[in-house]
Amino acid sequence: MGSFPDITTKLGDYVEQFVDFLDLSLEGFFDFIYIVSSQIINSIETALVWMPWWSFILVIFLLGWYFKSIFSGVLYSIFIFLIGTFGLWEDMMTTIAVVLTAVIISLLIGIPLGVWMAFSKGFSTVMRPILDAMQTMPSFVYLIPAIFFFGLGNISAIAATLIYALPPVIRLTELAIRGVDKEVIESAQSFGSSKWQMLRKIQLPQALPTIMAGVNQTTMMALAMVVIASMVGAQGLGEQVLVSINRIDISLGFEAGISIVFLAIIIDRVTNGIADKLQKHRRVSE
Amino acid sequence: MTTKIKLENVSKIFGAKPYSIIPMIKEGMEKNEILEKTGHTVGVYDASMEIKQGEIFVIMGLSGSGKSTLIRCFNLLNKPTHGSIFIDGEDIVNYNSSQLKQVRQKKIAMVFQHFGLFNHRTVLGNVEYGLEIRNISKEKRQEIARENIEIVGLKGYEEKYPDQLSGGMQQRVGLARALANDPDILLMDEPFSALDPLIRREMQLELLDIQERLQKTIIFITHDVNEAFKIGDRVAVMKDGKVVQVGTPEEIIEEPANDYISDFIKDIDRSKVFQAEHVMIKPNALVSMKDGLNVAVKEMEENNISSVFVVDRGRHVKGIVTIDDAITGIKEKKTLEDVLRTDISVVQRDEYVNDLIAKTLESKFPLAVVNEEEKLIGFILRVHVLSGLVSDDVNESIEYIG
Ligand SMILES: Nc1ncnc2c1ncn2[C@@H]1O[C@H](COP(=O)(O)OP(=O)(O)OP(=O)(O)O)[C@@H](O)[C@H]1O
Ligand SMILES: [Mg+2]
């Protein structure tokens, strides 16, 4: 039997040292992220919890109606109502808050990065493999640095979710900006637009439907992270799933699981509906 | 007329090291040879021309001859590799970015082949764009935008999106958008090529109409000879990146600079180009039967013409009086009816110029052009036919003018 010779590389150690280094040198940065994220998540959660239950259902109905159809509106309201009857109302709110926060931050970071990649070939070349790695790495791995930097709780869940869910926004933003019709760009140029006017008034609006597709993907991925993130202390529906696994509680597991599915359906359809609405007048005009 | 734009030895080379190519061309290397040896494309080579204030200057040439490359130099969407472009006497080639912005915002606007509309904005939003980026107040810019939308005949469509409009209407939006900035110069790169022939002809006439009112300097690109000769005050012909001839349509027809141009001109489909109403002139003097000879003479003298059409109350043509007949008539105390000549040729507004040639040759008088209701809408002199007449046999048309 040929066993592997006694050679070891310490790649893992190096990474650990690197993470240590980051923690020390970028402490301020991580504090900043922590504060911003907790601000966002707290305000969202407060708002959601403050809302009377029926008004939340009404909002969901209106969203479904406006962006899809009246039938969808009714269906989504029933979904939400059912989640309430499972006794998971507050958990649902927490999950929505975590997901929304992760999505908002990933847009805040992702869109500028995507725009930058669209404008700079060099930056794009550097970013591509990083984005590939971010997407292919098993999502569990992100939990470790997340805990390390932010401790247990919702914030590290958001951080892990962020890393996992960021790539689609960045990629689709780059793609969308690059894909804007050349003649449209030229015509804006020919009127003497500045770079900033061009970006704000032409490129971003033109790219918006594609960026919305990225938002849809990001949101779905964030939702998929909910259960995994509960391992680092995220509360909400994911936590309930985790609890039910530990207790082998089929009933709770199913209810929490199906609630996540309901949320996924609603979020997917509504964001798709928004993308469609935006797309309406943006066919290439010829 | 003053010179609005002057190009001096403008060249545009595409590729990694464009400047290294200039000497090669000077040595006489051909476009193909340069492409094979160096991988550089000669878009435009050594173009010099002067464009006058208020003229429609057409650039024509086959696909790939460098028309777009050249027109895009005028607003520096392409920066020339070599040469100077003077607008109102100032060389714009080395303008810095804020000077360039000024020129683009105020002096030059462009209309694109595929319209280049912002489909996330309404018609109004498109037309006001150029003013918006100049930070003109919303109220003011929308007022200007609405005026221009009306000029191009799209009143009522302000809130529509481009994809809700037909191709012809979309290009009207493109035109209104360009006009809204009140530029001196209008660049139009094959603006009507994407439209079907009927709409295209309509747009051509409308452009001429708008031009008559607004008097811009227009640079218009087309690969269609008919279009070029129809709307161009002067025409430049391009081949392989070079400008091979510049002149009025008449000059080019009379003396094609080379075989390439003669070939080009041969393409003209005479039978389908110009109709009577396109070449006619609207009468600024008309005499009615009841007016009498003295009025007729006065009209002719005032307008400096030697004959005038006579119509009845319904504007139906009755005949023509010449100045000589009228004067003798007055001496001999005759009436208008006595000296009226009725042996005139009347043609329908949609008769093709091709069919009018014989009639103008036979008739001693201008042709009277009437509409469907037989009302007089214009007249045609022999020379007018020329602009619509481009013959295979060039000599024939020269004889005809002579
Ligand atoms: N950005 C570019 N990079 C490289 N080559 C170019 C570029 N733009 C134009 N060319 C080349 O320059 C030449 C002239 O092209 P141009 O577009 O000016 O022709 P055109 O007369 O406008 O033709 P068409 O009637 O098809 O529009 C062509 O050989 C074209 O391939
Ligand atoms: Mg072209």
Side-chain angles (χ1 to χ4, degrees):
Chain A
M1 279 259 282
S3 64
F4 190 78
D6 193 14
I7 307 170
T8 50
T9 55
K10 300 214 162 66
L11 186 61
D13 289 352
Y14 297 141
V15 171
E16 193 179 328
Q17 278 166 22
F18 178 63
V19 170
D20 278 341
F21 164 77
L22 282 185
D23 192 26
L24 274 176
S25 57
L26 296 178
E27 203 185 338
F29 174 71
F30 288 116
D31 285 350
F32 175 73
I33 296 210
Y34 189 92
I35 292 166
V36 172
S37 321
S38 30
Q39 286 288 347
I40 298 181
I41 192 170
N42 284 339
S43 17
I44 294 179
E45 211 173 356
T46 317
L48 288 175
V49 171
W50 168 85
M51 274 172 110
W53 65 272
W54 51 266
S55 72
F56 182 75
I57 292 186
L58 186 69
V59 168
I60 294 291
F61 168 74
L62 291 176
L63 282 176
W65 184 23
Y66 184 72
F67 289 111
K68 279 292 186 193
S69 63
I70 191 153
F71 170 77
S72 309
V74 173
L75 189 69
Y76 302 161
S77 317
I78 295 174
F79 284 171
I80 297 293
F81 187 79
L82 278 176
I83 297 176
T85 63
F86 299 153
L88 296 172
W89 187 264
E90 252 116 69
D91 290 307
M92 171 180 73
M93 291 307 188
T94 310
T95 296
I96 293 176
V98 170
V99 169
L100 275 185
T101 309
V103 168
I104 290 171
I105 297 176
S106 61
L107 294 185
L108 289 179
I109 301 176
I111 293 178
L113 282 181
V115 169
W116 187 4
M117 281 174 73
F119 287 137
S120 155
K121 234 184 178 149
F123 184 61
S124 175
T125 321
V126 174
M127 282 298 285
R128 258 159 218 238
I130 298 178
L131 292 179
D132 286 339
M134 279 165 79
Q135 267 183 310
T136 38
M137 191 81 83
S139 41
F140 286 94
V141 177
Y142 298 132
L143 299 180
I144 305 164
I147 304 178
F148 196 85
F149 293 129
F150 301 114
L152 283 176
N154 284 340
I155 303 298
S156 53
I158 289 172
T161 307
L162 205 58
I163 305 175
Y164 181 63
L166 198 51
V169 181
I170 302 182
R171 274 182 208 281
L172 284 166
T173 302
E174 182 193 8
L175 189 78
I177 298 272
R178 278 184 196 270
V180 177
D181 185 68
K182 204 171 138 258
E183 218 181 55
V184 170
I185 298 291
E186 279 184 348
S187 73
Q189 243 170 8
S190 75
F191 284 102
S193 316
S194 66
K195 281 219 164 80
W196 173 242
Q197 286 169 329
M198 175 83 91
L199 182 66
R200 199 164 55 88
K201 292 179 191 285
I202 307 298
Q203 289 167 307
L204 279 179
Q206 288 272 327
L208 206 56
T210 312
I211 294 178
M212 247 347 264
V215 173
N216 173 279
Q217 278 192 34
T218 291
T219 318
M220 297 309 285
M221 288 170 76
L223 204 55
M225 270 296 275
V226 156
V227 179
I228 295 165
S230 63
M231 293 167 134
V232 292
Q235 292 139 348
L237 296 171
E239 187 189 17
Q240 298 303 324
V241 173
L242 200 67
V243 168
S244 70
I245 294 173
N246 291 338
R247 293 197 207 136
I248 319 184
D249 181 342
I250 294 177
S251 140
L252 176 64
F254 183 78
E255 284 174 356
I258 198 92
S259 299
I260 293 176
V261 173
F262 285 162
L263 280 188
I265 293 174
I266 296 173
I267 292 175
D268 181 48
R269 298 298 142 79
V270 170
T271 47
N272 255 330
I274 297 174
D276 285 348
K277 276 243 151 83
L278 289 173
Q279 193 71 51
K280 198 169 155 226
H281 289 297
R282 286 167 213 226
R283 277 167 265 139
V284 180
S285 52
E286 249 183 81
Chain B
M1 264 191 275
T2 50
T3 299
K4 185 74 189 172
I5 308 172
K6 187 168 154 198
L7 265 65
E8 275 180 7
N9 310 101
V10 171
S11 298
K12 174 71 191 178
I13 318 284
F14 296 106
K17 287 185 185 156
Y19 295 100
S20 66
I21 305 301
I22 301 277
M24 294 188 202
I25 313 177
K26 288 196 171 141
E27 281 163 24
M29 254 208 240
E30 283 302 314
K31 185 176 168 170
N32 289 339
E33 214 178 332
I34 290 171
L35 184 61
E36 265 169 39
K37 284 199 177 139
T38 67
H40 286 67
T41 306
V42 180
V44 171
Y45 179 67
D46 206 26
S48 297
M49 57 183 74
E50 283 185 27
I51 295 167
K52 292 176 206 141
Q53 171 91 45
E55 77 174 335
I56 301 187
F57 188 90
V58 173
I59 302 173
M60 82 176 170
L62 298 175
S63 184
S65 57
K67 306 181 296 293
S68 297
T69 309
L70 181 60
I71 202 175
R72 293 152 49 86
C73 287
F74 287 92
N75 60 357
L76 297 192
L77 282 179
N78 277 342
K79 193 174 156 103
T81 315
H82 183 82
S84 312
I85 298 173
F86 297 92
I87 294 183
D88 295 328
E90 268 194 62
D91 187 357
I92 62 163
V93 171
N94 292 313
Y95 266 11
N96 63 29
S97 68
S98 77
Q99 286 172 309
L100 178 58
K101 225 187 288 172
Q102 285 297 315
V103 170
R104 285 177 174 172
Q105 289 182 354
K106 306 216 168 119
K107 272 202 180 153
I108 301 190
M110 191 159 180
V111 177
F112 292 82
Q113 180 170 4
H114 300 288
F115 322 138
L117 297 182
F118 311 133
N119 49 15
H120 61 286
R121 288 172 159 240
T122 59
V123 168
L124 187 66
N126 268 277
V127 177
E128 71 177 336
Y129 180 81
L131 301 161
E132 187 181 322
I133 60 173
R134 283 161 59 182
N135 296 322
I136 289 171
S137 76
K138 187 164 183 170
E139 209 170 83
K140 186 87 207 285
R141 68 179 191 241
Q142 295 204 336
E143 184 192 322
I144 300 174
R146 282 176 204 282
E147 278 166 22
N148 284 283
I149 290 171
E150 197 171 343
I151 288 180
V152 300
L154 281 184
K155 197 172 162 60
Y157 290 91
E158 288 85 353
E159 303 307 324
K160 293 268 190 277
Y161 282 86
D163 72 334
Q164 296 170 308
L165 306 179
S166 69
M169 289 159 101
Q170 290 189 31
Q171 194 56 299
R172 284 165 199 263
V173 178
L175 186 58
R177 185 176 62 173
L179 291 175
N181 266 3
D182 194 23
D184 300 348
I185 301 164
L186 215 52
L187 305 176
M188 308 182 83
D189 189 353
E190 303 205 27
F192 305 146
S193 303
L195 308 177
D196 63 54
L198 220 68
I199 309 283
R200 189 157 154 188
R201 198 178 307 158
E202 197 182 306
M203 294 291 287
Q204 289 164 352
L205 291 175
E206 252 186 72
L207 179 68
L208 291 174
D209 214 49
I210 290 172
Q211 168 65 356
E212 203 167 303
R213 272 184 284 164
L214 303 180
Q215 293 295 320
K216 306 286 180 194
T217 303
I218 298 180
I219 298 162
F220 187 105
I221 287 192
T222 179
H223 57 245
D224 175 357
V225 200
N226 296 320
E227 190 172 63
F229 285 5
K230 180 168 181 180
I231 67 171
D233 294 316
R234 287 193 305 146
V235 177
V237 186
M238 289 191 73
K239 185 194 180 201
D240 293 339
K242 292 181 187 151
V243 177
V244 284
Q245 188 173 12
V246 181
T248 62
E250 288 83 356
E251 283 167 0
I252 292 179
I253 296 163
E254 262 181 74
E255 270 178 76
N258 56 32
D259 291 349
Y260 173 77
I261 297 174
S262 322
D263 276 355
F264 222 121
I265 295 170
K266 268 200 200 120
D267 286 345
I268 291 193
D269 186 351
R270 285 183 291 158
S271 62
K272 280 191 194 157
V273 194
F274 289 20
Q275 295 173 334
E277 65 177 334
H278 301 152
V279 294
M280 74 183 193
I281 288 192
K282 288 188 182 139
N284 37 17
L286 277 183
V287 175
S288 151
M289 279 303 260
K290 64 175 179 10
D291 281 345
L293 280 173
N294 284 315
V295 176
V297 171
K298 192 164 150 275
E299 283 284 331
M300 285 185 268
E301 275 171 358
E302 261 173 25
N303 289 290
N304 218 353
I305 48 180
S306 61
S307 59
V308 66
F309 283 105
V310 179
V311 293
D312 67 8
R313 276 233 200 96
R315 230 179 137 101
H316 301 116
V317 200
K318 289 296 166 194
I320 197 164
V321 273
T322 64
I323 186 95
D324 296 339
D325 284 356
I327 290 170
T328 1
I330 292 173
K331 278 186 201 149
E332 296 173 16
K333 306 228 177 329
K334 286 184 181 166
T335 66
L336 177 56
E337 212 162 345
D338 294 331
V339 299
L340 187 67
R341 303 230 189 176
T342 50
D343 54 335
I344 52 167
S345 301
V346 177
V347 300
Q348 297 296 318
R349 59 191 268 176
D350 57 356
E351 274 183 57
Y352 286 114
V353 168
N354 197 34
D355 304 322
L356 302 179
I357 302 166
K359 289 182 186 167
T360 46
L361 286 174
E362 282 159 16
S363 171
K364 289 195 290 282
F365 304 112
L367 303 181
V369 184
V370 298
N371 65 11
E372 292 80 359
E373 296 151 3
E374 297 293 326
K375 291 190 182 184
L376 182 73
I377 55 169
F379 64 92
I380 298 177
L381 300 175
R382 285 183 193 182
V383 288
H384 298 154
V385 177
L386 173 76
S387 50
L389 169 84
V390 183
S391 158
D392 289 346
D393 183 357
V394 174
N395 291 325
E396 186 185 296
S397 51
I398 294 169
E399 250 165 48
Y400 166 71
I401 318 162

